[in-house]
Structure formats: C-alpha cells, structure tokens
C-alpha cells in the first residue's frame, strides 16, 4: 500500500534540495557583505550612480533597516539616500547624507531638501531615524540606518545622489549629468524595484542553504523514514522492503544533515559576536546521535540474538530523540533566520500532516494486528510490545 508512495518521497525531497540550494541570480548586490555581520533580507542594484540598496522591512514596526552604498563623486564628497513622501524628485526629499567630517571620521546627517540651491544644513526630517552609521572603504561610502516609513507604506519614492565636496556640514551641489537625474524611483519594499528580487547577501544565502538542508534532513526525511519503519513492517508483503527503504531514507537524510551541520558550524564560526548557544548545542547533539544511529545499524545483532531486544529499545529511543530534537532545532533555526512566515507555516503544516498520517497508520496497524489475533494470539502480544513484523 504505502510502500509505493513513501519510496519516491526521499528521492523527490533530495531533488528539491539540490534545486533550492543552488543560488540563481545575477545581481551584484547579492555578493556584497557588511561589517559587524549585518544582514539584510533584500537588496537591489540601483539603476544609476553605481549605487546599491540593501534592506530588511519589518511590517510590525513599519521600519526599514537599510544599507545604502555608493561611490562619492570624489574622495572628499558625499553620498545621499532619501525618501520623498510627497513627490518623486529631489525637492521635499527627506535625506540621509554621509560624508567625512573635518576630523576624518564618517558621519550621517539628516537634511530636509527644499530647494536646488547650495548651502543646505542638517535639519530635522519628517522621518524617524535611528542607529545612523557611515563607513568609507574601497572608494565606496555606506549609510546604515533604521527609518520608520511614513504612513506605513510599503512602496516609497526613493532618491539617491552623490557629490564631490562638503563644506563644514553642508554638502555642495552635485553634478547634473544623466545619471544624477535618473537616480530616483519608486521601490516596492516587499518585492524590489526592478521586481528582480534577491534574497540578500551571500551570508544570508548560506544561512538559507543551511536552513533548507537541515529542515529537509532532520525535519522531513528522518520523520518520514521513521514512519516507513514503524508502519510498513506491519504488512508482510513489505518485508524486507521496509527495511531497505528505512535504511536508505535515513542514510540519505544523514548525509544531507551532515552537510547542513557543516554549513552551520561555518556560519557559527563567522558570527563571533552573536552566539546561538542552544541551537548550536542541539545541532551538535543531533550530529552525535545521528552518527551513533548509523553505527548502530552496522552493529545490530542478528534477529534471534538475545541482545536484539535491547538493541531495538536503544535504536528506537535514540531515533525518537533525534526526531524530537530535530524538530525543536528547526523551530530554533526559524527564530534565528526569521524567513518569510510562509516557511514556518509550511513546516508546521508538514509536521501536522505527518502526525495525522501517523495516527491513521497506527489505527490501521491495530486493525491488522487485531485481525491477525484470530489466527494467532502470540502475534498480538508481539505487536503490543512494538515488535510487529520481522526485522532482518
Ligand atoms: C502596517 O500595516 C500592516 C499591514 O497593513 C500592519 O500589520 C502593521 O501592524 C502596520 N504597522 C504599523 C506600525 O502601523
Ligand atoms: C569628530 O567629530 C565629531 C563631532 O564633530 C565627533 O562625534 C567624533 O567623535 C570625532 N571623531 C574623532 C575621530 O575625533
Ligand atoms: C521641510 O521643508 C519644507 C519647506 O521649507 C517645510 O514645509 C517642511 O515642513 C519641512 N519638513 C520638516 C519635517 O521639517
């Protein structure tokens, strides 16, 4: 019955992983990384002035955590990123402008642009900004800030600009070339200006790969492998097919899981500042238990051996521990990575359906066992002890 549908699941899942794990985008911003391990969920290669915008949008706070990168027109120049709440151009732009101060350190100041003239001075803007920071390296200035979007809008008019000099705190007029005039446009924060949405920079992409590998291995394939072992062996016709299905499913899950585990160690090593202690420790425990299970398979006593009973208890308790820890760690990982809500929902949906399937199969198993009881009462005894069917 179920053997025909469970078998290909492992292969299907494997194909899916390989598909998802291979990144596909040609945007430059994807490979850009930031100091202090800053991560942004989306990025965009802006169409003018060699500029890039990276951002994470938080709908609950209507806030935008952003990094704007652009090369200033000259090394003593400035770069600016602005939201224009009223129109699409420069007049009315609520701007963040970064430049090097006279004492040499970088700064970001806010400017309410009300004319095309020179001599603008720092001022309050109609947008709440926090954590401003600026960096200058490799000829590129970067503005970091968190801004609260006016009116909780997810499509905003952005304007960006670069200039060649600053007097005191006053950025001098920029050039008026074609690029300087084209550096504006609406941006949909939930999609991306050009609708070519990327998932962010390379570290985030690797964190996503880590999440996919581990969710598929510990969170999907292994529970399916347990269900195969627990319920298929009730059916005499599925013997010994269930064993090979179970072993190959768990072994391929283990291989993917070890790959995912290794990417996790690498991610952990890179983010020295932020320790994900629980997630990391559960991960290490999972690797250890999973490895023990593989060896347990190789060292299992023969079916009739007197220690086989104890081996079964050992193998099953280890197995269920791995499943439970694996699921817990996937939720811990989701809390760290904070992917789109649909992924958490999809996983909850998957686990719930698996639970329902397990309950149904449990019931079917008991019906089968009770029917068998009419033939032989010892088999029921066997089944009640969790020793249904045979094991090779
Ligand atoms: C912004 O709008 C979204 C959806 O319309 C809502 O869920 C969120 O709570 C709003 N945020 C604020 C700060 O008003
Ligand atoms: C430069 O001056 C600003 C204030 O004008 C100050 O906040 C900053 O710490 C100074 N940087 C250095 C390196 O002295
Ligand atoms: C920005 O300047 C314009 C024109 O001077 C003024 O009407 C507006 O209130 C200013 N905005 C803020 C937030 O100060």
């Amino acid at each position: 019955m179920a053997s025909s549908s469970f078998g290909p699941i492992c292969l299907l899942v494997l194909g899916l992983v390989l598909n998802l794990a291979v990144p596909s985008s040609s945007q430059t911003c994807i490979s850009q990384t930031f100091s202090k391990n800053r991560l942004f969920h989306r990025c965009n290669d802006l169409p003018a002035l060699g500029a890039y915008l990276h951002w994470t949008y938080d709908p609950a706070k209507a806030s935008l955590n952003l990094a704007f990168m652009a090369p200033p027109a000259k090394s003593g120049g400035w770069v600016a990123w602005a939201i224009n709440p009223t129109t699409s151009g420069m007049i009315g732009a609520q701007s963040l402008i970064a430049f090097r101060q006279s004492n040499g350190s970088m700064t970001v100041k806010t400017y309410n642009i009300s004319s095309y003239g020179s001599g603008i001075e720092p001022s309050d803007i109609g947008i709440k900004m926090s954590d401003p920071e600026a960096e200058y390296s490799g000829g590129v200035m970067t503005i970091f800030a968190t801004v609260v979007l006016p009116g909780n809008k997810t499509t905003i008019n952005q304007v960006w600009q670069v200039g060649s000099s600053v007097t005191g705190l006053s950025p001098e007029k920029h050039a008026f070339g074609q690029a300087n005039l084209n550096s504006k446009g609406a941006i949909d924060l939930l999609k991306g200006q050009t609708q070519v949405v990327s998932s962010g920079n390379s570290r985030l992409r690797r964190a996503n790969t880590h999440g996919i590998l581990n969710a598929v291995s510990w969170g999907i394939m292994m529970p399916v492998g347990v269900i195969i072992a627990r319920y298929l062996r009730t059916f005499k016709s599925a013997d010994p097919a269930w064993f090979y299905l179970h072993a190959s499913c768990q072994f391929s899950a283990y291989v993917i899981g070890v790959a995912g585990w290794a990417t996790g160690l690498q991610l952990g090593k890179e983010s020295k500042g932020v320790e994900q202690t629980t997630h990391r420790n559960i991960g290490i425990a999972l690797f250890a238990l999973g490895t023990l299970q593989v060896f347990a398979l190789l060292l299992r006593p023969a079916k009739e051996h007197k220690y086989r009973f104890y081996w079964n208890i050992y193998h099953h308790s280890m197995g269920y521990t791995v499943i439970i820890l694996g699921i817990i760690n996937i939720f811990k990982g989701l809390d760290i990575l904070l992917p789109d809500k649909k992924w958490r929902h999809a996983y909850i949906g998957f686990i719930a359906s698996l639970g329902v399937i397990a309950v149904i199969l449990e019931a079917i198993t008991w019906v089968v066992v009770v029917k068998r009881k009419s033939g032989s009462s010892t088999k029921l005894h066997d089944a009640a002890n969790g020793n249904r069917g045979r094991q090779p």
Side-chain angles (χ1 to χ4, degrees), residues 57-63 148 151-153:
Y57 174 65
D58 179 351
K61 294 184 191 145
S63 76
V148 177
N152 195 7
K153 283 198 196 122

Side-chain angles (χ1 to χ4, degrees), residues 1-221:
M1 165 212 96
S3 64
S4 54
S5 57
F6 272 134
I9 285 183
C10 291
L11 286 178
L12 200 98
V13 157
L14 194 63
L16 206 70
V17 175
L18 294 179
N19 250 327
L20 288 172
V22 177
S24 59
S25 178
S26 55
Q27 285 201 311
T28 305
C29 65
I30 299 221
S31 58
Q32 291 168 338
T33 56
F34 298 96
S35 57
K36 302 186 184 169
N37 277 308
R38 289 181 179 95
L39 289 179
F40 300 93
H41 282 179
R42 295 176 190 274
C43 71
N44 216 197
D45 292 6
L46 298 179
L49 300 172
Y52 302 92
L53 185 70
H54 295 251
W55 74 93
T56 301
Y57 174 65
D58 179 351
K61 294 184 191 145
S63 76
L64 193 67
N65 182 224
L66 69 94
F68 169 79
M69 307 170 74
K74 288 200 180 130
S75 66
W78 52 270
V79 305
W81 183 83
I83 294 176
N84 194 325
T86 46
T87 64
S88 66
M90 173 180 160
I91 302 298
Q94 308 297 298
S95 318
L96 316 182
I97 305 187
F99 52 89
R100 197 185 285 291
Q101 286 170 291
S102 47
N103 66 8
S105 61
M106 288 294 295
T107 188
V108 187
K109 302 250 181 269
T110 58
Y111 298 79
N112 174 13
I113 311 290
S114 51
S115 78
Y116 286 107
S118 275
I120 56 167
E121 291 294 333
S123 63
D124 284 344
I125 57 172
I127 288 169
K128 218 164 102 191
M129 175 186 71
S130 53
D131 311 319
E133 211 175 313
E135 278 175 7
Y136 191 10
S137 90
V140 172
M141 285 185 180
T142 306
I143 296 174
F144 298 103
T146 301
V147 295
V148 177
L149 297 173
N152 195 7
K153 283 198 196 122
T154 56
T155 299
I156 56 172
N157 293 319
Q158 64 169 343
V159 188
W160 65 98
Q161 200 51 263
V162 302
S164 55
S165 67
V166 178
T167 309
L169 297 179
S170 178
E172 295 296 330
K173 251 205 270 199
H174 58 82
F176 281 85
Q178 201 56 45
N180 301 86
L181 299 175
N182 286 344
S183 54
K184 62 186 182 188
I187 183 165
D188 182 342
L189 299 170
L190 302 178
K191 297 211 185 97
Q193 186 181 25
T194 52
Q195 315 294 325
V196 185
V197 183
S198 63
S199 58
N201 64 34
S202 73
R203 189 162 178 277
L204 182 63
R205 196 180 65 213
R206 282 184 294 126
N208 285 337
T209 305
H210 163 79
I212 291 168
L213 289 176
N214 285 301
V216 161
S217 149
W218 309 97
I220 295 179
M221 294 174 81

